[in-house]
């Protein structure tokens, strides 16, 4: 595949990404400093940390660990609250015309509706990514694994707002029937893109001292990094087959250009980079684009 595809622009609705590479939500995008680094990087767009209604300190530290092949995190949606990300859009847009996506992950089901409703009052974000797949809120299941709840959430959302610039961040699915269940739900609503996949929930990793590598939730957390790439590719391929006109952002285990091409060949239009971005920092984008 040609290098030029990674450098080429791509539109979701009327929103033009400068190239095909950007950060994954949660990676280098929580604070104003993080976001400014993305602004001055070569990323084709910017997505915020998944936000809740209020500021959240998140789970106990250490809550992130990585090694050569994987990462594990249980961040617990540590974020500055939706208002911060909405208002910060003004700063971002005063410097760049890259697309700015706000990722939303209400702790409670109704919180998602409340945040998205409030975001309607702000002008400086281009898209909303509704995260149905955070695995790290202790005592809460991932909405994306509950098909009835996902359908109900989307039904309430579109009954109450007229916003066609909302994408979904999905968890990884492993069962063919589950892909079909989710695709059938998505078909009912004007979802404008999908991001596949979030981390593989509730893995466990020992550190070099043979202790749980992270503290929250007895060491269980979302797995990212190279080891999850086969699942990311499978999810992109399957959703592309079931929903051929839906733009898909591929995510999961992308460390180099070859990985990015594999996602694009599987049906992704853009890719997001998580673990490798945390390891390398935003200069990573240069490597993909040169
Ligand atoms: C977290 O904040 O715990 C991770 C968020 C996510 O994986 O969606």
């Amino acid at each position: 595949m040609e290098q030029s595809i990674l450098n080429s622009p791509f539109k979701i609705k009327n929103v033009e990404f400068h190239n095909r590479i950007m950060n994954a939500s949660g990676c280098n995008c929580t604070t104003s400093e993080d976001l400014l680094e993305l602004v001055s990087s070569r990323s084709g767009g910017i997505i915020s940390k998944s936000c809740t209604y209020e500021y959240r300190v998140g789970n106990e530290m250490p809550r992130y660990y990585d090694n050569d092949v994987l990462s594990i995190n249980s961040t617990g949606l540590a974020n500055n609250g939706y208002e911060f990300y909405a208002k910060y859009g003004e700063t971002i847009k005063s410097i760049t015309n890259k697309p700015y996506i706000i990722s939303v992950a209400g702790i409670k089901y109704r919180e998602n509706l409340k945040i998205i409703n409030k975001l309607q009052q702000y002008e400086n974000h281009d898209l909303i990514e509704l995260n149905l797949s955070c695995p790290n809120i202790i005592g809460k299941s991932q909405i994306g694994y509950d098909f009835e709840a996902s359908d109900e959430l989307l039904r309430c959302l579109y009954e109450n707002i007229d916003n066609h610039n909302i994408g979904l961040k999905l968890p990884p699915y492993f069962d063919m029937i589950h892909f079909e269940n989710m695709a059938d739900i998505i078909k009912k609503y004007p979802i404008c893109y999908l991001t596949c996949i979030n981390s593989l929930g509730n893995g466990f990793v020992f550190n070099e001292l043979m202790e749980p590598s992270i503290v929250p939730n007895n060491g269980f957390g979302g797995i990212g990094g190279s080891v999850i790439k086969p699942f990311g590719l499978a999810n992109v391929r399957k959703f592309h087959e079931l929903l051929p006109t839906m733009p898909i952002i591929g995510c999961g285990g992308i460390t180099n250009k070859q990985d990015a091409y594999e996602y694009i060949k599987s049906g992704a239009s853009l890719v997001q980079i998580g673990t490798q971005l945390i390891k390398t920092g935003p200069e990573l984008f240069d490597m993909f684009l040169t």
Side-chain angles (χ1 to χ4, degrees):
M1 200 173 294
E2 295 294 310
Q3 164 69 40
S4 58
I5 187 138
L6 298 183
N7 290 283
S8 63
F10 182 79
K11 271 190 180 176
I12 295 179
K13 306 284 288 186
N14 57 347
V15 177
E16 181 163 288
F17 289 79
H18 292 194
N19 59 55
R20 307 301 181 99
I21 319 276
M22 63 183 292
N23 68 302
S25 176
C27 303
N28 212 107
C29 60
T30 302
T31 64
S32 49
E33 291 79 13
D34 293 338
L35 290 164
L36 281 181
E37 281 183 4
L38 291 174
V39 167
S40 50
S41 79
R42 290 183 67 194
S43 73
I46 298 171
I47 184 164
S48 75
K49 171 69 185 165
S50 291
C51 62
T52 48
Y53 196 79
E54 305 284 357
Y55 162 86
R56 273 175 68 84
V57 69
N59 292 341
E60 207 182 328
M61 306 265 196
R63 59 194 184 192
Y64 175 87
Y65 171 85
D66 61 40
N67 62 27
D68 286 349
V69 293
L70 58 76
S71 65
I72 180 167
N73 91 84
S74 182
T75 311
L77 292 176
N79 78 94
N80 287 326
Y82 88 89
E83 209 174 357
F84 168 84
Y85 298 101
K87 288 187 172 158
Y88 205 70
E90 196 175 337
T91 305
I92 292 175
K93 291 292 177 180
S94 70
I95 313 173
T96 180
N97 65 353
K98 288 186 210 190
Y100 174 46
I101 308 177
I102 298 186
S103 171
V104 171
I107 299 291
K108 294 188 192 133
Y109 171 93
R110 292 244 151 230
E111 192 177 321
N112 291 297
L113 306 179
K114 199 163 125 187
I115 298 169
I116 293 176
N117 211 15
K118 289 277 185 188
L119 286 176
Q120 306 274 90
Q121 296 163 18
Y122 294 86
E123 290 173 352
N124 291 307
H125 56 279
D126 301 282
L127 297 164
I128 292 171
E129 185 169 287
L130 176 58
N131 180 356
L132 300 184
S133 49
C134 174
N136 300 328
I137 301 304
I138 296 161
K140 300 261 174 214
S141 67
Q142 297 179 58
I143 299 175
Y145 284 148
D146 182 335
F147 299 110
E148 227 171 278
S150 298
D151 196 8
E152 180 61 9
L153 173 60
L154 295 172
R155 190 184 60 75
C156 289
L157 180 64
Y158 288 106
E159 253 174 31
N160 290 293
I161 62 152
D162 184 26
N163 183 333
H164 290 201
N165 278 14
I166 299 175
L168 297 181
K169 172 111 175 230
L170 297 177
Y173 296 101
F174 306 99
D175 186 308
M176 287 300 168
I177 297 298
H178 293 167
F179 289 110
E180 286 167 22
N181 291 341
M182 190 38 107
D184 286 344
I185 293 167
I186 290 166
K187 278 180 198 156
K188 293 163 58 177
Y189 305 99
I191 305 294
C192 75
Y193 77 93
L194 302 179
T195 297
C196 302
I197 55 175
N198 206 329
S199 59
L200 268 66
N202 296 304
F204 183 91
V205 177
F206 283 109
N207 65 17
E208 297 77 3
L209 305 171
M210 285 298 285
E211 289 164 349
S213 56
I214 56 171
V215 162
N217 206 12
N218 294 325
F220 290 79
I223 304 292
S226 313
V227 294
I228 75 164
K229 191 180 74 174
F231 301 100
L233 290 174
N235 275 256
V236 168
R237 287 184 89 82
K238 194 65 194 171
F239 279 111
H240 183 56
E241 182 186 312
L242 293 168
L243 303 165
T245 59
M246 176 71 76
I248 300 179
I249 305 182
C251 184
I254 298 174
T255 62
N256 55 38
K257 283 188 212 175
Q258 174 63 26
D259 296 331
Y261 292 144
E262 288 180 16
Y263 269 92
I264 286 175
K265 196 151 173 59
S266 299
S269 299
L270 295 150
V271 297
Q272 291 181 350
I273 305 182
T275 300
Q276 194 60 40
L277 176 60
I278 293 175
K279 287 180 171 178
T280 310
E283 62 272 19
L284 173 74
F285 298 116
D286 295 338
M287 189 268 279
F288 282 88
L289 296 167
T290 45

